Amino acid sequence: MAVTALLDVLVLGAGPAGAAVAARLLQRGVTSFALLERYALPRDKPCGGGLTGHAGEAFAALGLALRVPHVPAPRARVRFGRFERTVEMARPVDVIRRVDFDADLIAQVREQGAEVIESEAAERLVVRADAVEVTTNRGRTLRARVVVGADGVASIVRKHLAGNAKALPHRLYMQELPAGGSAVPRDTMVYDFSAMPDGIRGYTWLFPAPGDRINIGIMHYPADRRGGPELLRRMRERSLALGVDAPAKGALGWPVWGYDPRAPIAAPRLLTVGDAAGIDGLTGEGIAVAMEHGIVAGDHVARALESADFAFGGYRRAIRRAVVGRELALDRQLAHMLYQRGDKWREWMALVLFDPDVLEMYAARVSGSQVLADQKLRLARAMLRHVVKRRGRLRELAAAMA
Ligand SMILES: Cc1cc2nc3c(=O)[nH]c(=O)nc-3n(C[C@H](O)[C@H](O)[C@H](O)COP(=O)(O)OP(=O)(O)OC[C@H]3O[C@@H](n4cnc5c(N)ncnc54)[C@H](O)[C@@H]3O)c2cc1C
Protein backbone atom coordinates (compact mmCIF):
# COMPACT_ATOMS: atom_id res chain seq x y z
CA MET A 1 0.00 0.00 0.00
CA ALA A 2 1.44 3.44 -1.00
CA VAL A 3 2.22 5.79 1.88
CA THR A 4 2.57 9.47 0.99
CA ALA A 5 4.99 12.04 2.43
CA LEU A 6 4.04 13.64 5.75
CA LEU A 7 1.78 16.72 5.38
CA ASP A 8 1.29 19.29 8.13
CA VAL A 9 -2.49 19.14 7.71
CA LEU A 10 -4.98 16.96 5.89
CA VAL A 11 -8.49 18.44 5.62
CA LEU A 12 -11.19 15.87 4.88
CA GLY A 13 -14.00 17.40 2.79
CA ALA A 14 -14.13 20.32 0.35
CA GLY A 15 -17.45 21.91 1.38
CA PRO A 16 -17.67 25.38 2.98
CA ALA A 17 -16.00 24.13 6.18
CA GLY A 18 -13.03 22.64 4.32
CA ALA A 19 -12.67 25.73 2.12
CA ALA A 20 -12.73 27.99 5.19
CA VAL A 21 -10.05 25.95 6.97
CA ALA A 22 -7.89 26.06 3.83
CA ALA A 23 -8.30 29.85 3.49
CA ARG A 24 -7.39 30.37 7.14
CA LEU A 25 -4.35 28.11 6.98
CA LEU A 26 -3.06 30.05 3.97
CA GLN A 27 -3.62 33.33 5.82
CA ARG A 28 -1.54 31.90 8.69
CA GLY A 29 1.27 30.89 6.37
CA VAL A 30 0.60 27.13 6.49
CA THR A 31 1.15 25.68 3.02
CA SER A 32 1.89 21.99 3.62
CA PHE A 33 -1.70 20.78 3.49
CA ALA A 34 -4.26 19.20 1.18
CA LEU A 35 -8.02 18.89 1.03
CA LEU A 36 -9.33 15.41 0.29
CA GLU A 37 -12.80 15.30 -1.33
CA ARG A 38 -14.86 12.16 -1.89
CA TYR A 39 -16.53 13.45 -5.08
CA ALA A 40 -15.39 15.07 -8.29
CA LEU A 41 -15.97 18.84 -8.16
CA PRO A 42 -18.31 20.58 -8.64
CA ARG A 43 -20.47 18.47 -6.36
CA ASP A 44 -23.98 19.44 -5.26
CA LYS A 45 -25.37 19.38 -1.73
CA PRO A 46 -29.05 19.44 -0.64
CA CYS A 47 -29.48 22.87 0.96
CA GLY A 48 -31.76 25.92 1.22
CA GLY A 49 -28.79 28.05 0.21
CA GLY A 50 -29.49 30.89 2.69
CA LEU A 51 -26.26 32.61 3.74
CA THR A 52 -27.58 33.49 7.17
CA GLY A 53 -25.85 34.59 10.35
CA HIS A 54 -22.42 36.04 10.20
CA ALA A 55 -21.55 34.80 6.72
CA GLY A 56 -20.49 38.31 5.65
CA GLU A 57 -18.01 38.62 8.53
CA ALA A 58 -16.69 35.13 7.83
CA PHE A 59 -16.07 35.97 4.15
CA ALA A 60 -14.24 39.17 5.12
CA ALA A 61 -12.14 37.46 7.80
CA LEU A 62 -11.14 34.69 5.39
CA GLY A 63 -10.32 36.99 2.45
CA LEU A 64 -12.97 35.22 0.34
CA ALA A 65 -15.69 36.81 -1.79
CA LEU A 66 -19.23 35.91 -2.79
CA ARG A 67 -18.67 35.69 -6.55
CA VAL A 68 -21.59 33.48 -7.66
CA PRO A 69 -25.18 34.47 -8.56
CA HIS A 70 -27.21 35.16 -5.43
CA VAL A 71 -30.63 36.58 -4.59
CA PRO A 72 -30.60 39.16 -1.77
CA ALA A 73 -33.66 38.75 0.47
CA PRO A 74 -34.08 41.76 2.80
CA ARG A 75 -37.26 40.51 4.46
CA ALA A 76 -38.62 37.40 6.11
CA ARG A 77 -42.25 36.36 6.36
CA VAL A 78 -43.28 34.18 9.27
CA ARG A 79 -46.48 32.16 8.96
CA PHE A 80 -48.50 30.13 11.41
CA GLY A 81 -51.94 29.05 10.20
CA ARG A 82 -53.81 32.27 9.43
CA PHE A 83 -51.17 34.41 11.12
CA GLU A 84 -48.61 36.11 8.92
CA ARG A 85 -46.05 38.79 9.67
CA THR A 86 -43.24 40.21 7.58
CA VAL A 87 -40.11 41.53 9.25
CA GLU A 88 -37.44 43.67 7.63
CA MET A 89 -33.82 42.59 8.04
CA ALA A 90 -31.10 45.17 8.55
CA ARG A 91 -28.93 43.16 6.11
CA PRO A 92 -30.31 41.00 3.32
CA VAL A 93 -29.74 37.25 3.45
CA ASP A 94 -28.12 36.11 0.20
CA VAL A 95 -29.54 32.93 -1.27
CA ILE A 96 -27.12 30.90 -3.40
CA ARG A 97 -27.14 27.54 -5.19
CA ARG A 98 -24.75 25.20 -3.46
CA VAL A 99 -23.35 23.59 -6.58
CA ASP A 100 -22.07 27.03 -7.71
CA PHE A 101 -21.20 28.37 -4.27
CA ASP A 102 -19.10 25.44 -3.07
CA ALA A 103 -17.29 25.12 -6.41
CA ASP A 104 -16.34 28.80 -6.32
CA LEU A 105 -15.10 28.69 -2.73
CA ILE A 106 -12.80 25.85 -3.71
CA ALA A 107 -11.75 27.73 -6.86
CA GLN A 108 -10.80 30.69 -4.66
CA VAL A 109 -8.64 28.65 -2.28
CA ARG A 110 -7.06 26.85 -5.23
CA GLU A 111 -6.20 30.24 -6.75
CA GLN A 112 -4.49 31.05 -3.44
CA GLY A 113 -2.41 27.86 -3.61
CA ALA A 114 -4.41 25.14 -1.82
CA GLU A 115 -4.06 21.57 -3.09
CA VAL A 116 -7.38 19.75 -3.53
CA ILE A 117 -7.48 16.00 -4.17
CA GLU A 118 -10.84 15.06 -5.77
CA SER A 119 -12.72 11.77 -6.12
CA GLU A 120 -10.97 10.08 -3.23
CA ALA A 121 -12.59 9.28 0.12
CA ALA A 122 -11.03 8.80 3.53
CA GLU A 123 -12.12 5.44 4.89
CA ARG A 124 -10.21 4.92 8.09
CA LEU A 125 -7.94 6.87 10.37
CA VAL A 126 -5.37 5.82 12.92
CA VAL A 127 -3.79 8.30 15.33
CA ARG A 128 -0.11 7.52 15.97
CA ALA A 129 2.29 9.31 18.33
CA ASP A 130 3.75 11.53 15.59
CA ALA A 131 1.01 11.65 12.89
CA VAL A 132 -2.44 10.56 11.77
CA GLU A 133 -2.68 7.94 9.03
CA VAL A 134 -5.70 8.14 6.75
CA THR A 135 -6.44 5.23 4.45
CA THR A 136 -8.45 6.06 1.36
CA ASN A 137 -10.69 4.16 -1.03
CA ARG A 138 -7.85 4.26 -3.56
CA GLY A 139 -5.84 2.04 -1.30
CA ARG A 140 -3.21 4.57 -0.26
CA THR A 141 -2.33 6.03 3.11
CA LEU A 142 -2.02 9.77 3.60
CA ARG A 143 -0.07 10.98 6.65
CA ALA A 144 -0.46 14.32 8.36
CA ARG A 145 0.48 15.93 11.67
CA VAL A 146 -3.15 17.08 12.01
CA VAL A 147 -6.39 15.89 10.41
CA VAL A 148 -9.35 18.27 10.23
CA GLY A 149 -12.75 16.61 9.78
CA ALA A 150 -14.70 18.93 7.46
CA ASP A 151 -16.38 15.83 6.11
CA GLY A 152 -19.99 16.68 6.88
CA VAL A 153 -22.72 14.69 8.58
CA ALA A 154 -21.14 11.27 8.01
CA SER A 155 -17.76 12.46 9.24
CA ILE A 156 -15.31 9.69 10.04
CA VAL A 157 -13.53 12.07 12.42
CA ARG A 158 -16.78 12.73 14.29
CA LYS A 159 -17.34 8.97 14.56
CA HIS A 160 -13.81 8.50 15.85
CA LEU A 161 -14.38 11.18 18.55
CA ALA A 162 -17.94 10.33 19.56
CA GLY A 163 -17.52 6.54 19.64
CA ASN A 164 -20.91 4.92 20.07
CA ALA A 165 -22.68 8.06 21.36
CA LYS A 166 -26.05 8.17 19.66
CA ALA A 167 -28.17 11.26 19.11
CA LEU A 168 -31.20 11.52 16.86
CA PRO A 169 -30.55 13.68 13.81
CA HIS A 170 -32.55 16.65 12.58
CA ARG A 171 -34.17 15.76 9.28
CA LEU A 172 -34.15 18.18 6.38
CA TYR A 173 -35.56 17.90 2.86
CA MET A 174 -35.39 20.37 0.01
CA GLN A 175 -36.54 20.72 -3.57
CA GLU A 176 -35.70 23.33 -6.18
CA LEU A 177 -38.29 24.46 -8.74
CA PRO A 178 -38.91 27.15 -11.36
CA ALA A 179 -40.51 30.13 -9.53
CA GLY A 180 -43.62 29.79 -11.72
CA GLY A 181 -46.84 30.79 -9.95
CA SER A 182 -45.45 31.40 -6.47
CA ALA A 183 -47.34 34.14 -4.68
CA VAL A 184 -44.22 35.05 -2.72
CA PRO A 185 -42.20 38.14 -3.69
CA ARG A 186 -38.67 37.38 -4.99
CA ASP A 187 -37.07 39.31 -2.13
CA THR A 188 -38.71 37.46 0.75
CA MET A 189 -37.80 34.30 2.70
CA VAL A 190 -40.82 32.47 4.08
CA TYR A 191 -40.68 30.46 7.30
CA ASP A 192 -43.93 28.59 7.93
CA PHE A 193 -44.60 26.92 11.30
CA SER A 194 -48.18 25.86 10.45
CA ALA A 195 -47.41 22.14 10.70
CA MET A 196 -46.40 22.35 14.39
CA PRO A 197 -49.92 21.47 15.69
CA ASP A 198 -49.67 18.29 13.57
CA GLY A 199 -46.50 17.19 15.33
CA ILE A 200 -43.83 18.64 13.07
CA ARG A 201 -41.21 20.28 15.25
CA GLY A 202 -39.74 22.81 12.91
CA TYR A 203 -40.78 24.74 9.85
CA THR A 204 -41.17 24.64 6.13
CA TRP A 205 -39.38 27.25 4.04
CA LEU A 206 -39.68 28.86 0.69
CA PHE A 207 -36.67 30.90 -0.45
CA PRO A 208 -36.11 32.76 -3.72
CA ALA A 209 -33.18 31.14 -5.55
CA PRO A 210 -30.93 32.32 -8.40
CA GLY A 211 -32.07 31.70 -11.97
CA ASP A 212 -35.76 32.51 -11.26
CA ARG A 213 -36.06 29.42 -9.10
CA ILE A 214 -37.45 28.79 -5.64
CA ASN A 215 -36.10 26.51 -2.98
CA ILE A 216 -38.67 24.81 -0.75
CA GLY A 217 -37.88 22.63 2.22
CA ILE A 218 -38.69 21.34 5.68
CA MET A 219 -36.69 21.00 8.87
CA HIS A 220 -37.82 18.66 11.65
CA TYR A 221 -36.15 18.69 15.06
CA PRO A 222 -35.78 15.25 16.62
CA ALA A 223 -38.14 15.75 19.61
CA ASP A 224 -40.32 13.19 17.91
CA ARG A 225 -39.67 10.65 15.18
CA ARG A 226 -41.35 11.52 11.90
CA GLY A 227 -40.89 9.58 8.69
CA GLY A 228 -39.71 10.97 5.37
CA PRO A 229 -43.07 10.49 3.55
CA GLU A 230 -44.89 12.56 6.20
CA LEU A 231 -42.26 15.31 6.15
CA LEU A 232 -42.42 15.50 2.36
CA ARG A 233 -46.22 15.60 2.42
CA ARG A 234 -46.13 18.51 4.89
CA MET A 235 -43.54 20.32 2.80
CA ARG A 236 -45.73 20.03 -0.30
CA GLU A 237 -48.93 21.00 1.55
CA ARG A 238 -47.39 24.17 2.89
CA SER A 239 -45.85 25.10 -0.47
CA LEU A 240 -49.22 24.60 -2.14
CA ALA A 241 -50.71 27.09 0.31
CA LEU A 242 -48.28 29.61 -1.25
CA GLY A 243 -49.21 28.69 -4.81
CA VAL A 244 -46.31 26.31 -5.42
CA ASP A 245 -47.33 22.91 -6.73
CA ALA A 246 -44.18 20.82 -6.26
CA PRO A 247 -43.89 17.58 -8.23
CA ALA A 248 -44.06 14.43 -6.11
CA LYS A 249 -40.50 13.44 -7.06
CA GLY A 250 -37.30 15.44 -6.82
CA ALA A 251 -36.92 16.25 -3.11
CA LEU A 252 -33.63 15.41 -1.44
CA GLY A 253 -33.28 14.64 2.25
CA TRP A 254 -30.40 14.58 4.70
CA PRO A 255 -30.02 13.83 8.42
CA VAL A 256 -27.94 16.38 10.35
CA TRP A 257 -26.76 16.48 13.97
CA GLY A 258 -27.30 19.58 16.09
CA TYR A 259 -24.39 21.26 17.85
CA ASP A 260 -23.99 20.18 21.47
CA PRO A 261 -21.50 22.26 23.49
CA ARG A 262 -20.68 19.17 25.60
CA ALA A 263 -19.93 16.85 22.67
CA PRO A 264 -16.29 16.09 21.83
CA ILE A 265 -15.18 18.02 18.74
CA ALA A 266 -11.41 17.57 19.08
CA ALA A 267 -8.78 15.13 20.33
CA PRO A 268 -4.99 15.03 20.00
CA ARG A 269 -4.17 15.68 16.31
CA LEU A 270 -7.88 15.77 15.34
CA LEU A 271 -10.46 18.57 14.96
CA THR A 272 -13.96 18.76 13.51
CA VAL A 273 -15.61 21.75 11.78
CA GLY A 274 -18.96 22.50 10.16
CA ASP A 275 -21.59 19.75 10.04
CA ALA A 276 -19.08 17.30 11.48
CA ALA A 277 -19.15 19.44 14.66
CA GLY A 278 -22.92 20.15 14.53
CA ILE A 279 -25.40 22.56 12.93
CA ASP A 280 -27.73 25.16 14.41
CA GLY A 281 -30.44 23.23 16.28
CA LEU A 282 -33.17 25.86 15.88
CA THR A 283 -32.86 26.70 12.21
CA GLY A 284 -30.88 23.80 10.71
CA GLU A 285 -28.49 26.28 9.12
CA GLY A 286 -24.82 25.56 8.81
CA ILE A 287 -23.05 27.31 5.91
CA ALA A 288 -21.98 30.40 7.87
CA VAL A 289 -21.46 28.16 10.92
CA ALA A 290 -19.05 26.00 8.89
CA MET A 291 -17.09 29.04 7.75
CA GLU A 292 -16.92 30.51 11.26
CA HIS A 293 -15.77 27.15 12.66
CA GLY A 294 -13.14 27.06 9.92
CA ILE A 295 -11.61 30.32 11.16
CA VAL A 296 -11.24 29.06 14.73
CA ALA A 297 -9.96 25.66 13.57
CA GLY A 298 -7.41 27.21 11.16
CA ASP A 299 -6.05 29.40 13.97
CA HIS A 300 -5.75 26.45 16.36
CA VAL A 301 -4.01 24.27 13.78
CA ALA A 302 -1.53 27.04 12.88
CA ARG A 303 -0.71 27.53 16.58
CA ALA A 304 -0.31 23.79 17.13
CA LEU A 305 2.17 23.57 14.25
CA GLU A 306 4.19 26.47 15.69
CA SER A 307 4.25 25.09 19.23
CA ALA A 308 4.34 21.36 18.32
CA ASP A 309 1.55 20.89 20.88
CA PHE A 310 -1.14 18.89 19.11
CA ALA A 311 -3.47 18.22 22.08
CA PHE A 312 -6.16 20.73 20.96
CA GLY A 313 -7.39 20.87 24.55
CA GLY A 314 -8.69 24.44 24.16
CA TYR A 315 -10.54 24.03 20.86
CA ARG A 316 -13.96 23.13 22.23
CA ARG A 317 -13.81 26.05 24.67
CA ALA A 318 -12.70 28.41 21.89
CA ILE A 319 -15.68 27.40 19.75
CA ARG A 320 -18.02 27.81 22.73
CA ARG A 321 -16.69 31.32 23.40
CA ALA A 322 -16.71 32.48 19.77
CA VAL A 323 -19.81 34.25 18.42
CA VAL A 324 -20.67 31.13 16.45
CA GLY A 325 -20.58 28.90 19.55
CA ARG A 326 -22.57 31.34 21.67
CA GLU A 327 -25.27 31.63 18.98
CA LEU A 328 -25.38 27.85 18.54
CA ALA A 329 -25.65 27.23 22.30
CA LEU A 330 -28.49 29.75 22.63
CA ASP A 331 -30.32 28.33 19.62
CA ARG A 332 -29.96 24.86 21.10
CA GLN A 333 -31.79 26.04 24.24
CA LEU A 334 -34.45 27.84 22.19
CA ALA A 335 -34.95 24.71 20.08
CA HIS A 336 -35.48 22.59 23.22
CA MET A 337 -38.20 25.03 24.28
CA LEU A 338 -39.93 25.66 20.98
CA TYR A 339 -39.74 22.15 19.52
CA GLN A 340 -40.43 20.09 22.64
CA ARG A 341 -42.92 17.21 22.68
CA GLY A 342 -46.40 17.65 24.08
CA ASP A 343 -48.21 21.01 24.26
CA LYS A 344 -45.68 23.31 25.90
CA TRP A 345 -44.45 24.53 22.52
CA ARG A 346 -47.65 26.62 22.28
CA GLU A 347 -46.42 28.89 25.09
CA TRP A 348 -43.19 29.64 23.24
CA MET A 349 -44.77 29.90 19.82
CA ALA A 350 -47.26 32.44 21.23
CA LEU A 351 -44.31 34.43 22.60
CA VAL A 352 -42.40 34.30 19.31
CA LEU A 353 -45.35 35.31 17.16
CA PHE A 354 -47.13 37.88 19.29
CA ASP A 355 -44.38 39.67 21.22
CA PRO A 356 -43.58 43.02 19.58
CA ASP A 357 -39.80 42.40 19.67
CA VAL A 358 -38.93 38.68 19.42
CA LEU A 359 -39.30 38.21 15.66
CA GLU A 360 -37.33 41.41 15.08
CA MET A 361 -34.54 40.14 17.33
CA TYR A 362 -34.44 36.84 15.51
CA ALA A 363 -34.54 38.51 12.09
CA ALA A 364 -31.48 40.52 13.14
CA ARG A 365 -29.80 37.26 14.18
CA VAL A 366 -30.65 35.55 10.88
CA SER A 367 -29.40 38.48 8.83
CA GLY A 368 -26.24 38.66 10.93
CA SER A 369 -26.76 42.31 11.89
CA GLN A 370 -26.85 41.39 15.60
CA VAL A 371 -25.56 38.69 17.91
CA LEU A 372 -28.63 37.25 19.62
CA ALA A 373 -26.53 35.86 22.47
CA ASP A 374 -25.69 39.50 23.32
CA GLN A 375 -29.40 40.36 23.60
CA LYS A 376 -30.16 38.35 26.74
CA LEU A 377 -31.63 41.38 28.57
CA ARG A 378 -33.98 42.04 25.65
CA LEU A 379 -34.94 38.35 25.62
CA ALA A 380 -35.56 38.45 29.38
CA ARG A 381 -37.80 41.52 28.94
CA ALA A 382 -39.79 39.64 26.30
CA MET A 383 -40.20 36.71 28.74
CA LEU A 384 -41.48 39.09 31.44
CA ARG A 385 -43.98 40.66 29.01
CA HIS A 386 -45.12 37.14 28.21
CA VAL A 387 -45.93 36.37 31.85
CA VAL A 388 -48.48 39.18 31.73
CA LYS A 389 -49.80 38.62 28.21
CA ARG A 390 -49.67 34.85 27.79
CA ARG A 391 -53.38 34.05 28.19
CA GLY A 392 -54.44 36.49 25.49
CA ARG A 393 -51.62 35.34 23.22
CA LEU A 394 -52.56 31.67 23.63
CA ARG A 395 -56.10 32.61 22.57
CA GLU A 396 -54.63 34.40 19.52
CA LEU A 397 -52.58 31.29 18.72
CA ALA A 398 -55.65 29.05 18.92
CA ALA A 399 -57.52 31.47 16.63
CA ALA A 400 -54.64 31.39 14.11
CA MET A 401 -54.82 27.57 14.08
CA ALA A 402 -58.61 27.35 13.72
C1 LIG B 1 -32.10 20.28 3.09
C2 LIG B 1 -31.09 21.17 3.77
C3 LIG B 1 -31.25 22.55 3.74
C4 LIG B 1 -30.30 23.39 4.34
N1 LIG B 1 -30.45 24.74 4.23
C5 LIG B 1 -29.51 25.56 4.73
C6 LIG B 1 -29.59 26.98 4.54
O1 LIG B 1 -30.50 27.50 3.89
N2 LIG B 1 -28.60 27.75 5.08
C7 LIG B 1 -27.56 27.21 5.77
O2 LIG B 1 -26.70 27.97 6.24
N3 LIG B 1 -27.44 25.87 5.94
C8 LIG B 1 -28.38 25.05 5.43
N4 LIG B 1 -28.24 23.69 5.57
C9 LIG B 1 -27.04 23.16 6.24
C10 LIG B 1 -25.82 23.22 5.30
O3 LIG B 1 -26.12 22.60 4.08
C11 LIG B 1 -24.62 22.55 5.96
O4 LIG B 1 -24.53 23.00 7.28
C12 LIG B 1 -23.30 22.83 5.22
O5 LIG B 1 -23.26 22.15 4.01
C13 LIG B 1 -22.11 22.41 6.09
O6 LIG B 1 -20.91 22.49 5.36
P1 LIG B 1 -19.74 21.44 5.60
O7 LIG B 1 -18.61 21.90 4.76
O8 LIG B 1 -19.56 21.22 7.05
O9 LIG B 1 -20.33 20.05 5.07
P2 LIG B 1 -20.68 19.62 3.57
O10 LIG B 1 -21.16 20.77 2.79
O11 LIG B 1 -21.56 18.42 3.68
O12 LIG B 1 -19.27 19.17 2.97
C14 LIG B 1 -18.64 18.01 3.41
C15 LIG B 1 -17.78 17.49 2.27
O13 LIG B 1 -17.03 16.38 2.74
C16 LIG B 1 -17.01 15.40 1.73
N5 LIG B 1 -16.77 14.11 2.40
C17 LIG B 1 -17.62 13.43 3.20
N6 LIG B 1 -17.04 12.30 3.66
C18 LIG B 1 -15.81 12.28 3.13
C19 LIG B 1 -14.73 11.37 3.23
N7 LIG B 1 -14.84 10.26 3.99
N8 LIG B 1 -13.59 11.65 2.58
C20 LIG B 1 -13.47 12.77 1.80
N9 LIG B 1 -14.47 13.66 1.67
C21 LIG B 1 -15.62 13.42 2.33
C22 LIG B 1 -18.38 15.49 1.10
O14 LIG B 1 -18.41 14.90 -0.19
C23 LIG B 1 -18.60 16.99 1.09
O15 LIG B 1 -18.13 17.58 -0.10
C24 LIG B 1 -29.18 22.84 5.01
C25 LIG B 1 -29.03 21.45 5.07
C26 LIG B 1 -29.97 20.63 4.45
C27 LIG B 1 -29.76 19.14 4.50
Side-chain angles (χ1 to χ4, degrees):
M1 184 179 286
V3 179
T4 59
L6 182 67
L7 289 164
D8 278 344
V9 191
L10 180 65
V11 182
L12 307 183
V21 173
R24 195 59 165 187
L25 289 176
L26 290 166
Q27 283 178 326
R28 296 280 178 240
V30 178
T31 53
S32 165
F33 73 89
L35 282 86
L36 182 75
E37 168 55 48
R38 172 189 293 277
Y39 296 112
L41 300 173
R43 67 98 182 88
D44 207 352
K45 156 86 180 65
C47 190
L51 291 182
T52 53
H54 300 275
E57 280 90 346
F59 269 109
L62 290 164
L64 299 172
L66 177 56
R67 307 191 302 192
V68 294
H70 52 279
V71 180
R75 48 192 63 91
R77 183 174 300 169
V78 174
R79 292 171 56 101
F80 180 83
R82 295 171 195 206
F83 173 90
E84 190 172 287
R85 187 156 135 216
T86 301
V87 280
E88 302 294 324
M89 293 190 278
R91 290 185 204 165
V93 166
D94 291 314
V95 186
I96 48 81
R97 300 185 76 209
R98 286 295 298 274
V99 66
D100 303 331
F101 178 77
D102 291 20
D104 188 59
L105 285 187
I106 288 300
Q108 291 186 49
V109 296
R110 269 182 160 150
E111 284 158 21
Q112 294 175 14
E115 184 194 349
V116 184
I117 306 164
E118 299 181 34
S119 310
E120 183 166 357
E123 287 192 327
R124 205 161 51 85
L125 61 87
V126 180
V127 183
R128 307 254 182 234
D130 58 342
V132 185
E133 292 176 1
V134 174
T135 312
T136 77
N137 60 350
R138 291 213 192 146
R140 62 175 179 157
T141 298
L142 304 171
R143 294 178 69 240
R145 289 190 168 86
V146 177
V147 166
V148 179
D151 44 350
V153 290
S155 168
I156 65 165
V157 182
R158 179 192 174 92
K159 280 180 200 143
H160 184 92
L161 298 176
N164 288 326
K166 287 269 183 291
L168 279 179
H170 288 56
R171 300 196 66 181
L172 290 100
Y173 284 90
M174 59 76 63
Q175 195 164 357
E176 206 186 61
L177 309 161
S182 160
V184 179
R186 298 284 300 153
D187 60 357
T188 303
M189 307 173 80
V190 179
Y191 296 85
D192 186 345
F193 293 88
S194 302
M196 294 263 299
D198 300 312
I200 302 300
R201 290 292 174 262
Y203 63 94
T204 55
W205 73 79
L206 194 156
F207 296 166
D212 206 25
R213 297 179 175 89
I214 49 173
N215 184 309
I216 63 171
I218 186 164
M219 188 216 70
H220 176 64
Y221 174 90
D224 212 355
R225 278 179 200 267
R226 296 279 153 167
E230 179 183 357
L231 295 176
L232 287 172
R233 183 163 53 79
R234 297 288 177 200
M235 179 181 87
R236 294 206 174 91
E237 269 171 20
R238 299 315 313 156
S239 311
L240 203 54
L242 293 163
V244 177
D245 193 358
K249 290 215 164 108
L252 296 168
W254 202 270
V256 193
W257 280 268
Y259 169 76
D260 177 350
R262 294 160 311 181
I265 55 170
R269 298 189 182 276
L270 298 174
L271 295 180
T272 52
V273 286
D275 278 8
I279 53 140
D280 186 298
L282 187 67
T283 60
E285 67 170 292
I287 306 172
V289 169
M291 295 175 73
E292 291 173 277
H293 276 169
I295 297 170
V296 181
D299 288 347
H300 276 249
V301 171
R303 273 205 298 277
L305 290 167
E306 275 162 27
S307 63
D309 175 357
F310 297 102
F312 294 118
Y315 178 65
R316 184 166 63 164
R317 193 171 56 245
I319 291 282
R320 273 208 304 245
R321 288 186 179 169
V323 165
V324 61
R326 292 193 294 124
E327 294 288 58
L328 289 175
L330 178 60
D331 274 3
R332 178 180 158 84
Q333 282 176 5
L334 298 178
H336 280 320
M337 288 154 66
L338 189 63
Y339 298 145
Q340 61 186 289
R341 291 174 87 151
D343 274 342
K344 275 266 182 206
W345 65 271
R346 289 168 203 266
E347 293 275 351
W348 303 113
M349 186 51 82
L351 167 67
V352 169
L353 298 182
F354 303 119
D355 186 85
D357 199 25
V358 168
L359 279 182
E360 279 69 13
M361 266 190 276
Y362 209 77
R365 143 85 181 82
V366 166
S367 73
S369 61
Q370 261 177 13
V371 176
L372 190 63
D374 290 342
Q375 304 291 317
K376 289 202 171 131
L377 196 60
R378 243 169 108 187
L379 281 169
R381 280 201 206 104
M383 298 268 195
L384 280 178
R385 277 195 296 273
H386 196 53
V387 173
V388 181
K389 306 254 180 185
R390 61 177 283 279
R391 277 175 192 276
R393 289 175 178 175
L394 282 168
R395 277 197 298 275
E396 272 187 82
L397 192 79
M401 277 172 3

